Amino acid sequence: MDRGDVLSGAAFSAVLRSAMAFVVVLVLFGWAALVYVEKSLIAELGDDVQQRWNIIAAEHEGEDSDHVTNAIAVASRAATGGRHASALFGAADDFVVGNVLTRPDGLGLQVGPLDHAAAAPDDITREYVYFSGPLDDSTLVVGMRLDLLYHTQILVFRTLTLSGFLIVLTMLSMGYYLSYKSLRRLKDIETALSKTSDGDTDVRISENGGTTQIDRIARQMNLHLDRLSRMIATTRNTAAAAAHDLKSPLGRAYLSLGTAMERVEAGQDPTDALTDTQDELENMRVIFDSYLQLSRIAAAGDDHLNARVDLQEVTAELVDTFALIAEDAGQRLSFEVEEGRDFRVMGDAQMLQQLVVNLLQNAVTHGDDGNHIAVTLNRAGAEVRFTVADTGPGIPDDAKARVFEPFHRLDPSRTKPGSGLGLALVQAIAEKHQGRITLRDNEPGLIVELSLPAAAGAPFSRPRPRSAAS
């Protein structure tokens, strides 16, 4: 893998920016630390120098000037290396005794260079902290070279530099490692997407159970790849089923047209054959219309789902219509509503009406003589639940998931009426309205339960009379 790609990775770039910020903070902190150390040591050394000056001055009070001169001379000879400074200057600033050859300007505690008799080494500072004060007609100077401050500053500087270097190096190494890992994960994602674009719908991105953003993106992309795989499989099955469903009516329409032409040539009435042709073409139109409607629902946005629809009113009207159809088929249809509830939902009235029609039509079409279809409407918290239960043949457990696929039919011979799009439309409309469909066994028969979120602000106490149609 290209090293430049790793260095340009988001993880390494972020760590590099953090390292630069750390260096800036470290420089500021180091400068503040050095200033603090300098002030603290100078104050401490200044106190020590002033105490030494006070001691010599105190000795001078009880002795003559020769005694002080001898004491400074002894101290000067003992102070090798130029670390300590002590000198006595006369009234005319002339040198009397000591190791400081020139009287410094000013009085009091000061910091600066001194004209010391001993030359300081090249690696040692020439700065002193000294106290200069009058002693009778003379001036006494006592000082100490800032060796401790110099060495302390060097130690602090080296410590901060070394620790900063190690920390930045560790940060950059970690950033490089994380960037390398991220780049490998991105390469896996790129490879999986490339294989998917080449037609391999079974490929998935490897997951290591991590919690990084790339890991979460990988898991989300796998979910999308799963959905894409199902959509491709559904599309293929839909195309095959649609071709099969259209092939039969198209073939029958072709034969009916041939029969009509033969009857015309024989001077016979072709009305029956043309009627059969029209019926087959109508079946094809219904299939096309249903599939186009399913496509429009799937592609439609949510802008039109802003009306308050009373699901009780919609269901009551349709139950009255399908009660007669069920009665003609030797079946019975009933409708029960939970009292004192509001069943308004947000959505599209025509879509919801189509959903109820498809569920009722499906129950009647697949029910046998004596089938009882029970339609109920109730509330469960903030959800509106619409249930259609029948006592028909039901649906096997292994087929419950596939009945929502377009053109999927339980009858392999496809001799029963229907296009196989009814439940697919129901699921599409339910998902568009943030609802869910559940299939359960009625023993015997099937229970289809639709759950939709109630309209926001809909009251729960509007009384409605219980109605029934049979």
Side-chain angles (χ1 to χ4, degrees):
M1 186 172 295
D2 186 9
R3 181 180 177 88
D5 292 338
V6 176
L7 295 179
S8 62
F12 185 83
S13 299
V15 171
L16 180 60
R17 290 191 293 269
S18 300
M20 294 174 63
F22 171 77
V23 170
V24 173
V25 173
L26 183 64
V27 170
L28 295 176
F29 173 78
W31 175 80
L34 289 175
V35 171
Y36 174 78
V37 169
E38 180 179 359
K39 289 183 177 181
S40 299
L41 286 179
I42 287 178
E44 184 176 348
L45 293 175
D47 291 340
D48 184 45
V49 166
Q50 192 165 3
Q51 287 179 7
R52 289 176 56 197
W53 191 97
N54 292 333
I55 292 173
I56 296 175
E59 291 180 353
H60 175 68
E61 291 179 357
E63 303 289 343
D64 57 9
S65 59
D66 292 338
H67 177 79
V68 175
T69 301
N70 292 331
I72 294 176
V74 172
S76 299
R77 288 193 297 269
T80 59
R83 182 180 179 187
H84 294 279
S86 58
L88 185 66
F89 297 90
D93 294 339
D94 53 323
F95 173 78
V96 177
V97 68
N99 52 18
V100 178
L101 303 179
T102 304
R103 179 183 179 277
D105 296 332
L107 298 175
L109 186 64
Q110 300 182 61
V111 177
L114 291 177
D115 185 14
H116 202 283
D122 293 336
D123 59 341
I124 297 297
T125 181
R126 289 170 171 79
E127 294 288 319
Y128 286 79
V129 55
Y130 60 90
F131 187 85
S132 177
L135 189 66
D136 293 337
D137 295 333
S138 304
T139 300
L140 176 62
V141 177
V142 176
M144 180 180 294
R145 196 169 59 198
L146 297 177
D147 293 3
L148 179 60
L149 174 62
Y150 179 74
H151 289 299
T152 302
Q153 288 177 330
I154 292 177
L155 179 61
V156 171
F157 177 78
R158 289 177 177 175
T159 302
L160 292 177
T161 302
L162 180 60
S163 59
F165 174 76
L166 293 178
I167 292 175
V168 170
L169 181 62
T170 303
M171 292 174 64
L172 294 179
S173 301
M174 183 61 68
Y176 186 91
Y177 173 71
L178 294 176
S179 183
Y180 176 75
K181 286 187 62 178
S182 299
L183 199 61
R184 278 202 315 177
R185 296 288 290 147
L186 292 175
K187 187 65 176 179
D188 293 341
I189 294 175
E190 180 185 1
T191 302
L193 294 179
S194 298
K195 291 182 179 180
T196 302
S197 63
D198 292 336
D200 186 1
T201 58
D202 294 330
V203 66
R204 295 295 181 270
I205 303 170
S206 59
E207 297 184 16
N208 54 13
T211 57
T212 65
Q213 290 181 341
I214 295 181
D215 292 326
R216 291 194 293 269
I217 291 175
R219 286 192 289 270
Q220 191 65 32
M221 292 185 69
N222 280 337
L223 294 177
H224 289 299
L225 290 175
D226 291 338
R227 186 180 302 175
L228 178 62
S229 178
R230 290 194 298 268
M231 289 176 61
I232 293 176
T234 300
T235 302
R236 291 172 180 171
N237 296 334
T238 298
H244 187 277
D245 278 358
L246 293 174
K247 179 180 178 180
S248 297
L250 184 62
R252 289 193 293 267
Y254 179 79
L255 293 176
S256 297
L257 284 176
T259 301
M261 291 179 62
E262 291 176 358
R263 290 184 179 180
V264 169
E265 292 175 357
Q268 299 176 358
D269 184 9
T271 303
D272 293 341
L274 291 175
T275 301
D276 293 339
T277 302
Q278 185 178 12
D279 293 339
E280 297 301 334
L281 293 177
E282 176 64 19
N283 291 335
M284 294 174 61
R285 185 194 66 79
V286 171
I287 293 175
F288 278 117
D289 286 347
S290 299
Y291 192 67
L292 288 175
Q293 185 180 10
L294 179 63
S295 300
R296 284 194 296 268
I297 292 174
D302 298 335
D303 296 338
H304 61 291
L305 304 178
N306 53 6
R308 287 177 176 264
V309 182
D310 191 336
L311 198 59
Q312 180 177 351
E313 293 180 359
V314 173
T315 305
E317 294 177 1
L318 294 175
V319 165
D320 289 340
T321 301
F322 275 89
L324 300 175
I325 299 175
E327 185 177 355
D328 292 340
Q331 304 177 28
R332 184 166 60 93
L333 177 62
S334 63
F335 180 35
E336 183 177 352
V337 182
E338 185 180 5
E339 295 181 354
R341 295 287 190 174
D342 189 289
F343 298 100
R344 286 179 295 175
V345 297
M346 298 300 295
D348 183 271
Q350 291 185 347
M351 283 190 185
L352 293 172
Q353 186 179 37
Q354 182 67 54
L355 181 147
V356 176
V357 167
N358 285 9
L359 290 179
L360 295 179
Q361 182 65 55
N362 191 71
V364 173
T365 300
H366 296 284
D368 299 327
D369 188 22
N371 179 35
H372 177 213
I373 304 170
V375 180
T376 57
L377 197 60
N378 55 38
R379 287 289 298 268
E383 286 186 340
V384 175
R385 290 186 179 177
F386 172 78
T387 306
V388 178
D390 61 59
T391 57
I395 298 177
D397 291 337
D398 56 353
K400 283 187 172 67
R402 295 197 60 195
V403 295
F404 295 106
E405 298 177 5
F407 294 104
H408 179 76
R409 296 166 67 176
L410 294 177
D411 179 19
S413 63
R414 312 177 86 84
T415 56
K416 289 187 177 182
S419 62
L421 292 171
L423 288 179
L425 281 170
V426 168
Q427 187 180 48
I429 295 172
E431 291 179 351
K432 186 65 65 175
H433 288 76
Q434 308 298 321
R436 64 182 185 276
I437 295 288
T438 305
L439 301 182
R440 301 196 306 272
D441 289 330
N442 198 27
E443 299 180 353
L446 178 70
I447 299 175
V448 182
E449 183 179 85
L450 167 68
S451 298
L452 294 172
F460 290 170
S461 60
R462 188 181 63 162
R464 293 290 302 237
R466 181 177 300 181
S467 60
S470 59

